Amino acid sequence: MTAHEEALVKKHNEILSMVSHDLKSPMVAIIGAAQFIVNDMKNKPHDPVWAELLNRVSNAGKGMQKLIEDILSMAKLEAGNEVVETDWIPDLEDEIKRAVRTFDFEADSKKIAMSVETSGVIPPVRWDMRRIHYHVLNNLLSNALKFTPSGGRVNISLSEADGKVDIRVSDTGRGIPPGEQKRIFNRFERGVTASERVQGGFGLGLYNANFFVKKHGGCIKVESSNETGTTFLIKLPLDAATAEPAGV
């Protein structure tokens, strides 16, 4: 990259950071106000249509907030300002279940069953759990719910072997064509075929997820995908503080 190109990228990321930061406050206000009204209506007579509309406003706001966070995170990544801050997590299964509970309302509204399964005993891990939660698990779970039809299933499984933890996020939604399975982790990639799984959005969620997994010395990939479901595999070392970042 030339000096001119580097200057353009730096300016581009500065603008993204500034705009994203300025958009966060009003979006939080919109989401909070909508949710407050929804909660206030629960014990009062109300028109169900209005409750549904307010829920849609709240969900749309959360989607926009996620996009803003992804854009802001991407700008920080490329500026070299995002670092992992590891700490020991004694109960990883509990942390995973906490991330899953974030999506209870969305799953219930689509009648999608969500479950967490653990194989064997998972020892304590030293990760940046906040970033694994918000940039990795949230992105994978959000995508799984988005592309799983009503009545489907999303499952998160945990296992440990040889000093590494495997986290699998599986769904019963539309699969990802083999030719797109590597490109979906690139910035702004959404796919160019008829696959619905890679349409929509701005292609930042999986880009950010891949970055933070690699920062932990791990890897993320599409383990399997077909017409009836997709499984993403996240493989992370138990102690990310002593692991070498994987090609970031």
Side-chain angles (χ1 to χ4, degrees), residues 106-117:
E106 184 178 350
D108 289 344
S109 68
K110 292 185 67 176
K111 295 182 173 57
I112 293 174
M114 298 186 72
S115 60
V116 177
E117 298 176 357

Side-chain angles (χ1 to χ4, degrees), residues 92-93 96 117-119 122 156-160 165-167:
L92 179 60
E93 182 179 9
I96 299 294
E117 298 176 357
T118 301
S119 176
I122 307 297
I156 299 88
S157 66
L158 295 172
S159 61
E160 184 271 334
V165 174
D166 288 354
I167 304 174

